Amino acid sequence: MIGIFGGTFDPIHYGHLRCALEIAEQLELREVRMLPCGQPPHRGAPIASAAQRRHALKLALAGQSLLRLDTRELERAGPSYMVDTLASIRAEIGQGSLCLILGQDAFNGLTSWHRWEQLTELAHLVVITRPGVEPPETGPLAALVETCSVESLDELRARPAGAILFRTVTALGFSASGIREQLACGLSPRYLLPDAVLDYLVQEGVYRNLN
Ligand code: ATP
């Protein structure tokens, strides 16, 4: 089984990295592909350029093999629809199990994703509970959970796609927007992201003039 962890990564931080690593270990994944979004369909363009986000990810992932950078969305023109990304990965891996890892906050907004009903035809969803974010109790996502929710890894391994598994990882309650804000205010976000990433961002002055 392989995992897909998508995000704007503006910038990548330990919340993303810990989550990806813990899920890789919990689910015994062969690898997790860290997939920076090229043009986010649901939010404004990232502050850091594609090249800067790609380089920061390379620095963050250096020296370990379980988390791997996948830049296909940066290389594709147009909005980065996850359904297209999963279809292109599915074409490469055949019938192997594929797990799309996403935070509860991202899952709760799933019905606004392009062709969202097809996501579970292409991959399993592994939803990470996040502090202060509750799962939907009614509506199409609650119905999807009702139909697809599973409890065990064997149920993920048994088929290529279509199940939803909820998992908890070490709660690190910070976000990329908080880090951007700190850098813009001249505060240090050190210890929230790898030193090499922070040093690179400061050297590039990426988030310096936000305010
Ligand atoms: P922003 O503050 O700019 O919205 P973010 O830190 O939430 O950014 P994204 O790149 O938008 O990061 O998120 C990518 C994925 O990482 C999403 O599925 C999100 O739920 C998850 N994620 C973000 N922060 C954390 C965290 N601290 N712990 C676990 N997962 C996280």
Side-chain angles (χ1 to χ4, degrees), residues 5-10 13 15-16 19 43 101-106 128 130 169 172-178 180:
F5 194 102
T8 41
F9 303 130
D10 189 23
H13 56 68
H16 305 130
C19 180
R43 51 192 281 172
I101 303 161
L102 69 178
Q104 184 75 63
D105 55 324
I128 312 303
R130 291 195 67 186
V169 298
L172 297 172
F174 51 87
S175 62
S177 36
R180 293 196 297 275

